[in-house]
Amino acid sequence: AWYRASRRTALTLAMLFGGATLAWPYARFDFSETLAGAFATGAFAARISAIEATTTRRAMAFNVIAALAAVGAGMTKYTAIWFIGLIAIDAIVHPGCIPRTVTAAAIGLTAGLIGIAAVAGGVSAPILITQMWDGLMRGWLGFPLWAGLASLVLSSGKGLVWFAPPVLLAGTGALSFVRSHRLRAWIPITVTLIYLLTFGSKGGWHGGGWGPRYLVPMVPFLMLLSLPVISAAIESGSQSIPRSDERGRTHDWRRLARWATIVTALAGVAIQAEAV
């Protein structure tokens, strides 16, 4: 409902993500990116529930769940710690039935209490921050960005489009997604950019697993950008891109979207089945 997708579209998106991207093989692998991605996605879902909640009590409960899930993502994988900040910012950007001032005060008070507890406990810095700093000192942000981006996305050995073909639908639908949802699109877009820019600047950009392992937590957010294409493929009344009143062009776009969805889905399932 948050992105005005029908149940058929939402179910198709979920099936594409679960069966035709590298989320399926990584659900079987003992890598922390899988759990970090699950926590991060859960935090985002809880935030949407908090925004749409009709009572203050429900909104507060979902916000607490979102905060805990974001912390869980950071504790699982230190490179996912930025989700804590993203969820906090989103709570102010989209407050729902809770006033922005109350949300901002609660976030500030929580941060202050954590700082006081850390100092009182004789801790110079939370372990997540020290772990992150140690990680940043191990060759991060020193690799040529454009070379890393090209490798992450297009490399025949580890490129995302080869290991998760449905992400091509996200690339096609991104502009329409942003145009349709505006500020509601900021988290999926920001998460995608953060992961691509950060790991594109890391010498070991691939992660040493099946495909670009470090991008696993990003994939569910990236796949949201494919909603306009999927909607055009399966909904007869879709008004997805391109915007046109001409029946012929609209029919051509829907047919192209349908075939793109089918082909990328089949290719994705085949690739993940091979890995599994």
Side-chain angles (χ1 to χ4, degrees):
W2 182 244
Y3 290 122
R4 301 192 297 273
S6 68
R7 290 187 177 183
R8 289 177 59 191
T9 299
L11 180 60
T12 302
L13 174 64
M15 293 173 64
L16 281 173
F17 167 70
T21 74
L22 65 175
W24 179 15
Y26 272 100
R28 301 178 63 252
F29 293 163
D30 187 21
F31 285 116
S32 55
E33 282 80 7
T34 305
L35 189 55
F39 272 125
T41 306
F44 185 45
R47 272 295 305 140
I48 293 174
S49 297
I51 297 167
E52 296 184 330
T54 56
T55 65
T56 302
R57 179 177 296 181
R58 286 178 62 86
M60 291 179 62
F62 280 117
N63 277 326
V64 170
I65 294 172
L68 292 175
V71 171
M75 293 180 65
T76 304
K77 186 69 178 181
Y78 74 90
T79 54
I81 195 172
W82 46 56
F83 281 104
I84 298 174
L86 292 179
I87 292 301
I89 294 172
D90 192 62
I92 298 175
V93 173
H94 295 114
C97 62
I98 301 177
R100 284 186 172 87
T101 53
V102 174
T103 301
I107 293 172
L109 179 61
T110 302
L113 291 175
I114 292 174
I116 293 172
V119 172
V123 180
S124 58
I127 188 171
L128 285 178
I129 296 178
T130 57
Q131 187 184 37
M132 180 175 65
W133 181 254
D134 291 341
L136 290 175
M137 293 297 100
R138 295 196 297 267
W140 283 82
L141 309 182
F143 194 73
L145 176 59
W146 296 114
L149 284 175
S151 300
L152 278 171
V153 178
L154 299 173
S155 167
S156 60
K158 295 289 182 179
L160 182 63
V161 299
W162 303 108
F163 288 82
V167 300
L168 291 170
L169 304 178
T172 304
L175 288 179
S176 179
F177 184 85
V178 173
R179 186 170 56 236
S180 298
H181 303 295
R182 299 184 182 276
L183 197 56
R184 293 188 177 192
W186 88 272
I187 281 190
I189 292 294
T190 301
V191 170
T192 299
L193 292 177
I194 285 177
Y195 270 89
L196 290 176
L197 295 177
T198 301
F199 291 104
S201 300
K202 178 178 173 58
W205 48 265
H206 47 80
W210 169 256
R213 171 168 66 92
Y214 292 138
L215 298 187
V216 169
M218 178 199 80
V219 175
F221 295 90
L222 175 63
M223 285 300 297
L224 284 173
L225 307 183
S226 67
L227 279 173
V229 182
I230 298 174
S231 179
I234 67 175
E235 301 294 337
S236 59
S238 172
Q239 296 181 352
S240 302
I241 56 174
R243 294 182 175 181
S244 173
D245 295 330
E246 299 180 12
R247 293 183 179 180
R249 292 182 61 187
T250 302
H251 175 74
D252 290 342
W253 163 245
R254 289 174 180 165
R255 183 171 57 183
L256 179 61
R258 187 175 299 114
W259 276 108
T261 302
I262 292 172
V263 171
T264 56
L266 292 177
V269 170
I271 292 169
Q272 311 321 319
E274 173 68 17
V276 172

